[in-house]
């Protein structure tokens, strides 16, 4: 639907309203969405190999092993040409156990919601050269090796199971799971979409326990969608709570693998609440549950005992707006404490707590946010993180030691995302900026580039060939004295004294930016096409977007749409004041929150 809307709008602009403009080579819609002329080369599904300084990449149904030191392919670990895999149609997912003696392969993968999937899964044993199918028929979800690699826990038809790889025995942890009623080991739509979590179980580090969710969505009202097929439409019904309506009732249990029994963890008497995360600590049998009230302005970290279910508050946090949930919590293997991020200072920063809940050290501080914790090198007591310190449009890699010594690692402005080797000696850097296609490099942990894996040089040259205009950043102050950031793509060879129409693209939802110093893929090419037709294309981040601290992001709390719309109106007024803009011809476009 989104693609159709963009095509329709683009056709209207091009065929009806487009003023004439010259370009080196015209961009066509078929170039963008049919022939993928501007689609960058990528390296998909990079995973650390559990042993040695190596990583794996899934390429054309082959799992290839590469060396971090030189980037060279060492060997193909396995592929569909292997005799044991000849009946598997494709390798869609894969993961290794802790010593890389077993390989989990997913095939026939089918989407459920935005992130969740189901399919068929197999385990290949490298020593015995045997292939074992996890019981199920296209309905297996979230299979996960036990720490010793001897068992696999998984979800099938809303129930939890453990499959013993040695005996071939399947044990049911739950039996009353039912579609649109009871869910075990995975999450309902709300938790998946709004809390970003689909896997609802975790093995304990010693493999003795499995902590898992039970979600009772019996009282959640259903929403109906119509899927229009080739001839007759199909009706799809699923549980979707609207604001103020019943949510799922959520409990957390711990299953004792040896005893075959489950114990309910004490999350308090209140049932109208959220448990958005669970983490095992490295203290034997100790689990931490995140407990949040429905208003989401109070968070407790509950330390729970696996054998009794008894819980106590390890850490508590209140917020005048709401507490954001981040995947930045890490319990340290030496049992000394945990790394945690919080916006309690007004900006998202990293904190080091002891297992008594007392603060050992605030590791980062300043009027800027961290975006994510990328990895923790416990051996060298170092935290690696992506930060907005160089401006909310840039994502840069930094490190900070447990004593608070900070270093900037990446030097090239833009958007960086990284995958570290298991020993943190190297990382793969995925970088781009607003006008440069993605580049993949191997760097050492000091930030020195060792090898370029892919630089998309052909695409960068192609953009020159088509005469792409530069995406330029700008900022302005509103009548409320709020500084807003934006980007602008102008037609090439603009005529002095001529006024141009403006096409504004917006999203503006909580914590989500469109003004980023990163390559925009299809949208970028489409915007370039509009610029070739004589339009100025602009996007502005209104209040409510991320990377600028809590007040800027959360001021929209309880009044969504007020500040966002006001800021976009101010942006249109600012643009209308520019001497090269036709203020009578400013149009806006957005989808989802931007719609």
């Amino acid at each position: 639907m989104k693609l159709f809307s963009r095509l329709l709008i683009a056709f209207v602009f091009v065929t009806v309203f487009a003023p004439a403009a010259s370009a080196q080579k015209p961009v066509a819609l078929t170039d963008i969405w049919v022939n993928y002329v501007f689609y960058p080369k990528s390296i998909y599904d990079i995973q650390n190999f559990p042993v040695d300084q190596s990583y794996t990449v899934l390429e054309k149904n082959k799992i290839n092993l590469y060396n971090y030191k030189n980037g060279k392919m060492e060997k193909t670990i396995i592929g569909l040409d292997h005799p044991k895999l000849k009946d598997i149609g494709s390798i869609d997912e894969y993961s290794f156990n802790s010593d890389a003696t077993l390989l989990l392969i997913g095939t026939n993968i089918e989407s459920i919601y935005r992130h969740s999937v189901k399919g068929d899964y197999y385990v290949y044993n490298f020593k015995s050269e045997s292939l074992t199918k996890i019981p199920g028929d296209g309905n297996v979800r979230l299979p996960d090796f036990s720490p010793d690699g001897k068992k696999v826990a998984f979800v099938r038809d809303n129930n939890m199971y453990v499959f013993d790889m040695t005996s071939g025995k399947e044990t049911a942890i739950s039996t009353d799971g039912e579609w649109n009623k009871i869910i075990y080991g995975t999450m309902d739509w709300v938790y998946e979409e709004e809390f970003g979590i689909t896997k609802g179980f975790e093995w304990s580090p010693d493999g003795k326990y499995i902590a898992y969710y039970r979600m009772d969505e019996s009282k959640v009202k259903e929403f109906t969608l119509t899927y229009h097929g080739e001839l007759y439409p199909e009706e799809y019904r699923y549980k979707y709570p609207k604001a103020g309506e019943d949510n799922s009732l959520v409990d957390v249990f711990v299953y004792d693998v040896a005893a075959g029994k489950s114990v309910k963890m004490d999350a308090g008497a209140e049932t109208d609440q959220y448990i958005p995360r669970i983490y095992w600590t490295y203290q034997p049998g100790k689990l931490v549950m995140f407990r949040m009230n429905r208003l989401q302005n109070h968070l407790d970290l509950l330390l729970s005992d696996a054998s009794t279910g008894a819980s106590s508050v390890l850490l508590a946090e209140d917020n005048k707006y709401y507490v954001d949930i981040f995947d930045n919590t890490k319990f340290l293997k030496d049992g000394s404490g945990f790394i945690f991020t919080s916006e309690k200072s007004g900006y998202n920063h990293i904190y080091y707590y002891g297992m008594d809940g007392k603060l050992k050290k605030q590791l980062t501080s300043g009027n800027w946010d961290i975006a994510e914790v990328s990895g923790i090198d416990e051996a060298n007591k170092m935290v690696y993180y992506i930060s907005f310190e160089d401006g909310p449009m840039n994502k840069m890699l930094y490190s900070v030691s447990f004593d608070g010594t900070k270093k900037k690692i990446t030097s090239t402005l833009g958007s960086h995302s990284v995958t570290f080797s298991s020993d943190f000696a190297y990382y793969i850097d995925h970088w781009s900026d607003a006008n440069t296609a993605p580049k993949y490099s191997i760097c050492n942990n000091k930030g020195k580039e060792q090898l370029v894996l892919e630089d998309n040089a052909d695409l960068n040259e192609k953009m020159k060939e088509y005469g792409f205009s530069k995406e330029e950043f700008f900022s302005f102050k509103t009548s409320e004295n709020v500084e807003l950031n934006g980007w602008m793509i102008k037609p090439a060879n603009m005529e002095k004294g001529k006024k141009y129409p403006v096409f504004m693209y917006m999203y503006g939802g909580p914590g989500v930016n469109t003004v980023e110093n990163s390559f925009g893929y299809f949208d970028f090419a489409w915007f370039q096409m509009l610029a070739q037709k004589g339009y100025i294309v602009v996007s502005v981040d209104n209040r409510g977007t991320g990377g600028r601290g809590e007040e800027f992001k959360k001021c929209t709390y309880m009044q969504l749409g007020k500040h966002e719309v006001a800021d976009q109106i101010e942006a249109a007024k600012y643009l209308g004041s520019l001497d090269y803009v036709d203020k009578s011809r400013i149009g806006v476009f957005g989808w989802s929150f931007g719609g």
Side-chain angles (χ1 to χ4, degrees), residues 7 28-37 522:
L7 289 171
L29 289 174
T30 52
D31 291 332
I32 305 168
W33 284 304
V34 178
N35 299 322
Y36 303 116
V37 170
F522 295 119

Side-chain angles (χ1 to χ4, degrees), residues 61 126 135 166 175 307 376 549:
N61 283 310
F126 288 98
T166 304
T175 57
S307 57
I376 300 175

Side-chain angles (χ1 to χ4, degrees), residues 181-183 186-188 191 213-217 249-250:
K181 289 185 179 179
I182 305 295
I183 306 170
T186 187
M187 319 307 290
D188 67 1
Y191 273 66
Y213 281 80
R214 181 185 191 269
M215 309 194 84
D216 182 350
E217 56 177 359
L249 302 177
V250 182

Side-chain angles (χ1 to χ4, degrees), residues 377 380 382 384 397-399 407-410 420-421 423-427 442-450:
D377 179 0
N380 295 299
M382 191 74 68
Y384 293 93
L397 178 64
Y398 284 76
S399 69
K407 292 181 180 179
K408 183 176 180 179
I409 297 176
T410 52
F420 273 96
S421 61
D423 62 359
F424 290 91
Y426 302 95
Y427 65 89
I442 293 178
C443 304
N444 66 23
N445 59 15
K446 302 294 190 293
K448 184 178 180 181
E449 186 174 88
Q450 308 290 110

